[in-house]
Amino acid sequence: MMRLPKFEYHVPREIAEAVKMIAGSGPEGQFVAGGTDLFPNMKRRQQTPRVVVSVMRVPELNLITGDEKSGVRIGASVTLTDICENPIINRDYPVVAYAARTISTPILRNMGTIGGNLLLDTRCNYYDQNYEWRKGINFCLKKDGDVCWVAPGSAKCWAVQSSDLVPVMVAIGAKFRLVSTIGDRMIDAAGFYNDDGIDYLKKRPDELLADIHLPPTNGWRASYQKLRRRGAFDFPVLGVAAYVHLDRAGAVDDAKIILGGIAPSPLEVKAAAAALIGQPLDNDHIQASAEAAYVKARPLDNTDFVMNWRKQMARQYTLRALRELATTP
Ligand SMILES: Cc1cc2nc3c(=O)[nH]c(=O)nc-3n(C[C@H](O)[C@H](O)[C@H](O)COP(=O)(O)OP(=O)(O)OC[C@H]3O[C@@H](n4cnc5c(N)ncnc54)[C@H](O)[C@@H]3O)c2cc1C
Ligand code: SF4
């Protein structure tokens, strides 16, 4: 049985108290929300904070406010189950509720939060193993070792961004509010993720993710398609988020295609959007967009399924996502 290492546990009731506690614990401290990612990582000794500060009992982090006209603010500690069941999110941002419903299992969604999901550690077959297994291969660059087993000549870690909500947040233009003892800042989801499996976030360890801001909908449509082996439980090994806005004449005047689950950060395929903009959302242009997504998708051999097949699935899943949008009223 894998056991947690010893650590101090704090449960602040206010944001100011939480960020002060983390600032006071320096590099030894880490926030935890539902713990469905952090605690297994601690058991595997991938992350070993001495001080753990829970963000679950801060009332401000547990609220959902607003609507499609003003935009919606979601506190980082709102559970995935609450996202799935919230009437405003289901009515105004169904793509967010849908992507949340594809995450893991009902029990994990009861514990797991939207904030923890957006900050999820990157994943790799050579890393998501227990300590003894990793020791057996002399570890790897991401933790305790000096070689990447996926790309042995590489100085970079290629562990994969594996959250279902990340590509959706990038596609719809969400923003995140980060708070520390120094102050607040807002950052676009699109600029928040680094293409590096170790340093994968543009967030300092002392910054708390306070809330997620969904923009007003203004008639845009968005869809998410997830590839995984089993219909539940499994992480995405490809996730396609598609976003379009149509003008009054029915032509696409804005579009984004974001691929998740294939690289350390979500991948925006600009050529796939360019194939749609100024055009009707018809079969020919959807095919052209899906082809562009296929060309840019370069999954690596560090998750489930053969990488060439996952690349081909980028075409199929982009087709599915855009066809769904073409038939949305
Ligand atoms: C078996 C299994 C299957 C899973 N399947 C999926 C899946 O299909 N799709 C998917 O996307 N995920 C999946 N997950 C991952 C995880 O359950 C979810 O991503 C969940 O939403 C993580 O949220 P959490 O609150 O438990 O995060 P935690 O484990 O509490 O935290 C995750 C990270 O975020 C940091 N953190 C959390 N909240 C804050 C905050 N407010 N400010 C600053 N830092 C913070 C923590 O320090 C940690 O680094 C799975 C996990 C398991 C164990
Ligand atoms: S991509 Fe390489 S360095 Fe990163 S976790 Fe996998 S094996 Fe380790």
Side-chain angles (χ1 to χ4, degrees):
M1 187 173 74
M2 290 192 292
R3 288 180 189 280
L4 280 169
K6 285 198 178 348
F7 60 94
E8 267 177 48
Y9 186 64
H10 298 285
V11 187
R13 307 289 160 146
E14 288 177 6
I15 291 180
E17 197 187 352
V19 294
K20 212 168 151 192
M21 283 172 173
I22 280 289
S25 49
E28 306 267 87
Q30 195 163 348
F31 291 115
V32 69
T36 63
D37 185 47
L38 182 66
F39 289 142
N41 286 359
M42 287 174 68
K43 288 182 178 178
R44 294 188 292 246
R45 305 306 191 259
Q46 292 156 323
Q47 283 160 308
T48 48
R50 298 279 170 105
V51 180
V52 174
V53 176
S54 169
V55 296
M56 292 306 276
R57 296 290 167 86
V58 178
E60 196 186 324
L61 300 180
N62 283 292
L63 299 174
I64 301 177
T65 52
D67 61 23
E68 65 170 333
K69 289 206 176 78
S70 58
V72 161
R73 172 201 166 278
I74 306 173
S77 301
V78 171
T79 65
L80 295 170
T81 298
D82 285 342
I83 299 284
C84 297
E85 292 177 357
N86 182 272
I88 294 164
I89 294 180
N90 275 282
R91 185 192 66 197
D92 298 343
Y93 301 87
V95 66
V96 174
Y98 174 77
R101 269 196 288 278
T102 71
I103 295 170
S104 52
T105 64
I107 292 165
L108 284 162
R109 291 196 293 272
N110 287 343
M111 292 296 297
T113 63
I114 183 167
N117 185 260
L118 297 172
L119 303 175
L120 190 66
D121 195 8
T122 53
R123 295 180 60 79
C124 171
N125 286 344
Y126 296 91
Y127 172 72
D128 293 300
Q129 306 288 348
N130 65 36
Y131 182 85
E132 284 70 28
W133 192 102
R134 291 186 295 115
K135 191 176 174 195
I137 59 163
N138 212 12
F139 303 102
C140 78
L141 268 186
K142 186 159 160 71
K143 177 75 175 135
D144 298 328
D146 53 14
V147 72
C148 170
W149 296 110
V150 176
S154 170
K156 169 179 159 180
C157 165
W158 297 88
V160 175
Q161 176 276 306
S162 304
S163 147
D164 285 297
L165 283 169
V166 165
V168 171
M169 292 297 163
V170 175
I172 68 175
K175 291 179 190 293
F176 303 153
R177 183 168 68 103
L178 302 172
V179 181
S180 70
T181 51
I182 302 168
D184 288 26
R185 67 179 173 119
M186 292 290 278
I187 184 164
D188 288 332
F192 188 60
Y193 298 94
N194 290 325
D195 192 28
D196 179 330
I198 297 172
D199 182 21
Y200 57 95
L201 296 175
K202 286 198 179 66
K203 181 185 99 54
R204 297 191 315 270
D206 65 317
E207 285 181 305
L208 173 117
L209 173 61
D211 32 56
I212 295 99
H213 294 249
L214 310 183
T217 56
N218 293 327
W220 52 254
R221 308 168 185 186
S223 157
Y224 179 67
Q225 298 291 326
K226 170 175 181 171
L227 173 67
R228 56 179 159 180
R229 187 172 291 269
R230 297 172 290 187
F233 220 101
D234 288 342
F235 284 87
V237 290
L238 168 71
V240 178
Y243 158 101
V244 295
H245 186 269
L246 306 184
D247 65 18
R248 282 166 193 263
V252 175
D253 61 9
D254 194 10
K256 275 188 222 139
I257 303 292
I258 311 294
L259 307 183
I262 57 165
S265 61
L267 175 72
E268 177 169 1
V269 186
K270 294 211 162 139
L276 299 171
I277 290 175
Q279 309 295 342
L281 194 56
D282 61 15
N283 194 42
D284 287 353
H285 296 102
I286 287 175
Q287 292 274 2
S289 178
E291 197 57 29
Y294 162 75
V295 170
K296 280 282 176 195
R298 293 203 180 86
L300 283 158
D301 197 11
N302 59 352
T303 65
D304 197 7
F305 293 130
V306 177
M307 58 185 178
N308 286 342
W309 185 73
R310 282 164 63 216
K311 179 174 172 66
Q312 289 174 39
M313 286 304 104
R315 182 195 284 123
Q316 295 307 321
Y317 278 60
T318 306
L319 280 176
R320 281 189 197 178
L322 288 171
R323 282 180 181 150
E324 186 181 309
L325 296 185
T327 54
T328 304

